[in-house]
Amino acid sequence: MIFDEISDVMNQQSARKMSIQTGLSPSKIYRLSQGTPFYLDHNMIFALRKLGYEIRLEEIHNQKK
């Protein structure tokens, strides 16, 4: 699940260091490290990109409707 994966990434360093590296507030880093849901806004996308990650949307083919 994406929240667990984001949590793992945000737990790699302290919230302060991640805040400096990503530009997100330390409180947001802390919440993300706990696996809480988040808004996928431009700041979040750019923060993940700075860490070397990207979120993708993929269409699932051959599913019955």
Side-chain angles (χ1 to χ4, degrees), residues 18-24 43-54:
M18 287 299 254
S19 175
I20 292 167
Q21 190 173 2
T22 62
L24 299 174
N43 293 336
M44 187 66 195
I45 292 170
F46 290 127
L48 289 171
R49 186 166 285 167
K50 287 179 185 178
L51 295 173
Y53 295 93
E54 188 173 85

Side-chain angles (χ1 to χ4, degrees), residues 30-49:
Y30 177 76
R31 289 191 309 273
L32 292 168
S33 71
Q34 300 303 308
T36 59
F38 57 88
Y39 288 106
L40 187 59
D41 58 5
H42 288 288
N43 293 336
M44 187 66 195
I45 292 170
F46 290 127
L48 289 171
R49 186 166 285 167

Side-chain angles (χ1 to χ4, degrees), residues 1-64:
M1 183 174 205
I2 191 159
F3 299 117
D4 293 334
E5 293 168 346
I6 297 288
S7 174
D8 291 342
V9 169
M10 294 302 166
N11 277 311
Q12 291 175 356
Q13 297 179 26
S14 71
R16 184 174 181 267
K17 287 183 181 181
M18 287 299 254
S19 175
I20 292 167
Q21 190 173 2
T22 62
L24 299 174
S25 70
S27 62
K28 184 163 186 170
I29 298 290
Y30 177 76
R31 289 191 309 273
L32 292 168
S33 71
Q34 300 303 308
T36 59
F38 57 88
Y39 288 106
L40 187 59
D41 58 5
H42 288 288
N43 293 336
M44 187 66 195
I45 292 170
F46 290 127
L48 289 171
R49 186 166 285 167
K50 287 179 185 178
L51 295 173
Y53 295 93
E54 188 173 85
I55 294 180
R56 294 179 189 224
L57 180 66
E58 294 184 24
E59 182 178 3
I60 300 173
H61 298 282
N62 299 326
Q63 272 202 337
K64 294 180 182 180

